[in-house]
Amino acid sequence: MTKRKLKSDNESRPKKNKTENNNDIYNNIKNNKDNKLKIKKTAKEKSEEVVTKDGKENHNINNINGKSNMVNSNSMEKPNWQEFKKKKKEIREKYKAKRFSNIYDISIVTKQLGEKLRRVDCSKLERKRLILKAHDLLKTNYNKIIFTHDMSRIIQWIFKYSDAEIRQAISKELKPSFLSMIESKYARNCIKTMLKYGSQETRHEIISTCYGNIVRFMSHSVSAPLLELMYSTWATEIEKRYFKQEFYGDMYKQAKDKKIKTLSDTYVIAEDMKAATLSAVKGNLMRILNKKFLNSTLLHCVLLEFLNNCSLEDKKEIIAMLKSSIVELSQTKFGSQVAVICIWHGSNKDRKIIMKSIKGNIKNISMSEYGYLILLALFDSVDDTVLIKKIIFSEIQNDLTDIALNDHGKHVILYLVARRNSHYFAPSIVKYLEQGDNNATSKKPAHIREKELLDLISDSLLESVIINTPIWMSNSSIAMITLAILKVGTKEKLEKAFEAITIFITDLKSKIKEGDEEYKPIEHAGLHMMLKKLIQNDKELQEKGESTFGKILVNHLETNIIEEWIECNRGCFLFVLLLENGTVPTVNTILSKLKPVMNILKSKSNPGAKILLKKLK
């Protein structure tokens, strides 16, 4: 019965076929004159969905067409961006007025005053008047507005240009907010200004506020750089000591001890406290290292103390955390020493990762005040000299002269050609580097590693001397490096280097500038010393069967050059050295070339000329 009724109802209901639906859609599209193609596409897509799988009708075609018309009409209109920005600004101002209802009007006036007082062309008298007016407006309100972007900048200007009395008043009012300001994105800049322009008392108050929160601040992205500034620039020795103590355990967060200078001092009396203290330090260090906040002198200092006192297992764990961050460590004295420990006690795999991590920064590390020690430690420890050539030497060769001219970079080159030579390295540096000689990882004998490195770099150094001779002879410091390079050179490259140096010093147009003074190469004190030692080295070269500098030099000495050289004392002494250290053929050549100028020599009164005359008789 029910089935029959349903059937009769369905038969009585008029059916729309596919053709009728398509006609309806077509009529709707025809009525819509704008954007015909787009609407046709929409209608066509929807027409396929009019009849469902069950044969039911879709009655939403008109609604779809209406929406299409609305979208198309809106898309044709160009937005008025000026009007949009204006409305956005109005909304923002309304929000500020609602949020800071008590001081909104004051902040508007203060910003206008701030724009005037910060200008360079603002007179001192006018600036003083504006600061007094702004301070009167903001009095008792500094804490409310210090955390906003625009007003924090105004307060910085007021603090910078105001007198001591106003600075003191601002500091006193902001003191309860120091902790929050240190972690605030904008207010922290006010802390920087207060540290720079505030009194010693203000600095002490800011720094002492940090006590109990050092580790937390060091692991916070906003406060970590500010804490580094405090520690490295403004903190006294006692305050630095107190900063470090907070890493040694919770007991030092509030209770400070002036007697404790380093980590080892914490358990000198109570040895049983060592394990607990080291565990606390490790936990605090890991908290910061996991956040990758490594640009900190304080952190580097604590890391060094920990690595010098911890167990081998803890040392390996810390090395695993630091091996990819050597560039950051190289920026400070303590950080460089931490990096060196990582090299000495790391595995071959760790050392490989360390070298890869500094790739692209070799020049900067070489020229760093303390970073160059990292490279010296690598030269002493890494057995894979081919890898050193591939990663480190390739970059050194690209910037060879810049590195050689740098006071710190020159040690990198000297270590390769004169390892631990007392003429070039202070005993303290040699003693420090000797600590890594017996490390467990390095297997290759030191003298073999040294020879392999020298063979890999020697030709490149000599090539640079040949191509850039004036640079390698430009001052006393680099001339000594040139001498060290030449002493380890061999064969054709060495002979070409001697030739290039000879051409430079015998060219009457060559000059060496030092400050405002200009010298001939032969008259320059540093270059004269280098040439003197180079000539004295000829005896060793003779024994090795190598070409000597004296022989090449004598062949370039024409009469006009000889006459020029004997005019000065240093030039005469070079001839004396050539006579004392040269081979028999070289000495005979010199004698034959000096005889025509004997009368000129007799007329000279300088000590070099007198000694040279005695040698010629």
Side-chain angles (χ1 to χ4, degrees):
M1 183 81 177
T2 309
K3 287 182 180 179
R4 239 179 244 170
K5 190 175 180 182
L6 288 170
K7 189 175 180 182
S8 62
D9 289 343
N10 287 335
E11 287 173 354
S12 62
R13 191 178 297 160
K15 290 184 179 179
K16 275 191 175 183
N17 57 28
K18 216 170 189 179
T19 308
E20 289 173 343
N21 284 327
N22 286 335
N23 288 334
D24 290 342
I25 295 166
Y26 178 75
N27 291 331
N28 285 327
I29 294 168
K30 194 173 181 181
N31 292 332
N32 186 359
K33 293 181 180 180
D34 297 328
N35 300 306
K36 282 185 177 180
L37 291 173
K38 196 166 185 179
I39 296 172
K40 275 182 182 180
K41 185 179 179 182
T42 305
K44 187 178 179 182
E45 290 171 355
K46 296 301 174 182
S47 68
E48 293 173 359
E49 297 174 2
V50 171
V51 181
T52 62
K53 289 180 180 179
D54 298 328
K56 294 180 180 179
E57 298 176 16
N58 189 340
H59 299 288
N60 295 325
I61 296 169
N62 291 331
N63 291 336
I64 292 167
N65 287 333
K67 288 180 182 178
S68 299
N69 292 336
M70 185 177 68
V71 171
N72 289 323
S73 61
N74 288 338
S75 64
M76 296 298 289
E77 294 177 9
K78 290 184 179 179
N80 189 338
W81 290 110
Q82 294 297 328
E83 188 67 25
F84 176 76
K85 287 179 181 177
K86 188 178 178 181
K87 286 181 180 178
K88 191 176 179 182
K89 187 177 180 181
E90 288 173 2
I91 292 168
R92 188 165 59 245
E93 291 299 321
K94 283 179 183 178
Y95 171 74
K96 283 184 179 180
K98 186 178 179 181
R99 186 182 175 189
F100 306 105
S101 56
N102 298 332
I103 56 169
Y104 180 71
D105 294 334
I106 294 173
S107 66
I108 294 296
V109 177
T110 309
K111 279 192 277 187
Q112 292 171 353
L113 296 172
E115 284 300 315
K116 292 178 182 178
L117 69 87
R118 75 180 181 87
R119 291 172 63 90
V120 179
D121 57 359
C122 183
S123 65
K124 289 184 179 180
L125 191 64
E126 177 66 11
R127 183 174 284 149
K128 187 177 180 180
R129 185 185 68 79
L130 292 169
I131 287 171
L132 284 170
K133 193 174 180 181
H135 180 61
D136 288 338
L137 288 168
L138 295 174
K139 218 180 281 184
T140 70
N141 291 310
Y142 282 108
N143 283 317
K144 298 174 185 176
I145 60 173
I146 191 68
F147 299 100
T148 61
H149 174 262
D150 48 0
M151 290 307 297
S152 66
R153 192 176 291 274
I154 301 295
I155 294 170
Q156 289 175 59
W157 293 330
I158 293 171
F159 197 91
K160 178 180 178 180
Y161 294 117
S162 61
D163 55 29
E165 188 179 344
I166 293 176
R167 286 175 182 171
Q168 188 66 27
I170 295 171
S171 300
K172 189 176 180 181
E173 188 175 335
L174 289 175
K175 187 177 178 180
S177 303
F178 281 166
L179 271 177
S180 302
M181 288 170 66
I182 290 168
E183 289 184 303
S184 169
K185 183 179 179 181
Y186 304 121
R188 68 169 180 174
N189 294 313
C190 292
I191 294 286
K192 287 181 184 179
T193 304
M194 293 169 77
L195 287 168
K196 186 175 182 179
Y197 298 102
S199 63
Q200 186 62 40
E201 182 185 352
T202 301
R203 291 191 194 109
H204 178 69
E205 286 176 351
I206 293 170
I207 291 170
S208 59
T209 303
C210 298
Y211 294 157
N213 300 282
I214 299 298
V215 177
R216 178 165 69 88
F217 285 161
M218 286 284 290
S219 54
H220 192 279
S221 60
V222 173
S223 58
L226 181 58
L227 208 70
E228 164 61 13
L229 178 70
M230 288 186 203
Y231 180 83
S232 60
T233 308
W234 304 112
T236 62
E237 286 302 315
I238 294 293
E239 288 166 343
K240 287 180 178 180
R241 205 174 294 172
Y242 290 166
F243 272 38
K244 282 198 298 180
Q245 285 177 16
E246 295 201 18
F247 283 85
Y248 303 159
D250 291 343
M251 63 182 288
Y252 293 105
K253 284 190 175 181
Q254 298 301 330
K256 308 297 182 185
D257 191 341
K258 291 182 180 179
K259 295 179 181 178
I260 295 177
K261 297 180 181 179
T262 62
L263 176 59
S264 56
D265 294 336
T266 58
Y267 48 81
V268 168
I269 299 172
E271 186 66 28
D272 56 332
M273 289 290 292
K274 182 175 181 179
T277 305
L278 288 173
S279 178
V281 176
K282 182 184 175 183
N284 289 326
L285 288 173
M286 285 298 188
R287 179 179 174 180
I288 298 168
L289 293 176
N290 285 327
K291 295 285 186 72
K292 301 293 182 182
F293 298 142
L294 284 162
N295 293 316
S296 169
T297 308
L298 173 58
L299 177 65
H300 297 173
C301 183
V302 178
L303 273 170
L304 181 62
E305 291 179 6
F306 180 74
L307 289 171
N308 286 330
N309 290 275
C310 69
S311 65
L312 188 60
E313 289 181 5
D314 286 341
K315 196 173 286 185
K316 287 180 178 179
E317 193 172 346
I318 294 293
I319 289 170
M321 298 282 287
L322 296 175
K323 60 189 177 183
S324 299
S325 306
I326 303 300
V327 175
E328 290 87 344
L329 293 172
S330 68
Q331 305 304 312
T332 67
K333 179 181 179 180
F334 301 122
S336 295
Q337 291 178 23
V338 169
V340 169
I341 290 173
C342 291
I343 293 166
W344 287 342
H345 299 282
S347 62
N348 285 323
K349 187 177 179 181
D350 291 333
R351 291 171 178 177
K352 188 174 182 179
I353 292 170
I354 286 170
M355 285 194 285
K356 286 184 176 180
S357 72
I358 62 175
K359 191 175 182 180
N361 295 281
I362 302 298
K363 180 182 177 182
N364 293 333
I365 293 173
S366 298
M367 296 166 69
S368 171
E369 185 177 359
Y370 306 106
Y372 74 91
L373 289 169
I374 297 171
L375 296 180
L376 304 194
L378 285 170
F379 298 154
D380 279 342
S381 306
V382 177
D383 290 337
D384 191 350
T385 53
V386 175
L387 188 63
I388 288 180
K389 180 187 178 183
K390 185 179 177 181
I391 294 176
I392 298 176
F393 285 1
S394 59
E395 291 189 39
I396 289 176
Q397 289 163 6
N398 293 335
D399 301 291
L400 202 50
T401 52
D402 290 340
I403 293 171
L405 288 166
N406 182 265
D407 288 339
H408 309 297
K410 66 181 182 182
H411 291 99
V412 175
I413 298 169
L414 285 169
Y415 205 73
L416 292 168
V417 296
R419 181 176 179 264
R420 298 184 185 178
N421 190 317
S422 58
H423 288 97
Y424 305 110
F425 295 96
S428 58
I429 294 175
V430 175
K431 189 176 180 181
Y432 172 70
L433 291 170
E434 283 175 350
Q435 295 176 41
D437 286 351
N438 298 317
N439 69 80
T441 308
S442 300
K443 303 299 180 185
K444 191 177 288 186
H447 68 278
I448 294 176
R449 190 188 303 108
E450 181 184 355
K451 187 178 183 306
E452 287 178 358
L453 290 173
L454 181 60
D455 291 342
L456 291 170
I457 196 71
S458 179
D459 284 352
S460 297
L461 294 172
L462 288 169
E463 187 66 33
S464 182
V465 172
I466 295 164
I467 296 170
N468 304 300
T469 309
I471 296 175
W472 288 95
M473 310 289 283
S474 58
N475 59 56
S476 304
S477 178
I478 198 169
M480 289 297 106
I481 303 171
T482 308
L483 175 65
I485 293 169
L486 294 170
K487 279 186 175 182
V488 296
T490 56
K491 301 175 182 177
E492 292 181 10
K493 288 282 184 183
L494 178 62
E495 191 173 343
K496 287 181 180 179
F498 283 158
E499 189 81 25
I501 291 169
T502 300
I503 291 169
F504 176 77
I505 63 174
T506 56
D507 186 354
L508 299 178
K509 293 179 182 179
S510 295
K511 301 289 180 184
I512 295 175
K513 289 184 179 180
E514 197 167 286
D516 296 330
E517 298 292 328
E518 199 172 61
Y519 301 91
K520 294 176 182 177
I522 202 68
E523 294 177 351
H524 189 269
L527 191 56
H528 171 76
M529 182 60 67
M530 175 259 186
L531 293 171
K532 175 183 173 182
K533 291 182 180 297
L534 198 58
I535 293 168
Q536 288 173 340
N537 190 55
D538 279 354
K539 288 182 178 179
E540 291 185 24
L541 291 175
Q542 290 171 31
E543 293 172 4
K544 295 176 184 178
E546 298 280 356
S547 295
T548 63
F549 176 68
K551 179 183 176 182
I552 294 170
L553 176 59
V554 168
N555 292 335
H556 284 77
L557 290 176
E558 303 295 335
T559 304
N560 61 330
I561 296 166
I562 293 171
E563 289 175 356
E564 184 79 23
W565 282 20
I566 62 175
E567 290 293 325
C568 66
N569 189 48
R570 290 192 171 111
C572 293
F573 271 113
L574 281 184
F575 284 120
V576 173
L577 288 166
L578 286 168
L579 290 170
E580 289 175 349
N581 296 279
T583 59
V584 175
T586 301
V587 171
N588 291 335
T589 306
I590 294 169
L591 290 172
S592 64
K593 290 190 175 186
L594 285 174
K595 282 182 180 179
V597 296
M598 287 283 286
N599 292 331
I600 301 174
L601 269 174
K602 289 175 183 178
S603 65
K604 302 299 175 187
S605 58
N606 60 66
K610 291 177 181 179
I611 294 170
L612 182 57
L613 276 172
K614 289 179 182 178
K615 292 283 182 183
L616 294 174
K617 289 179 181 177

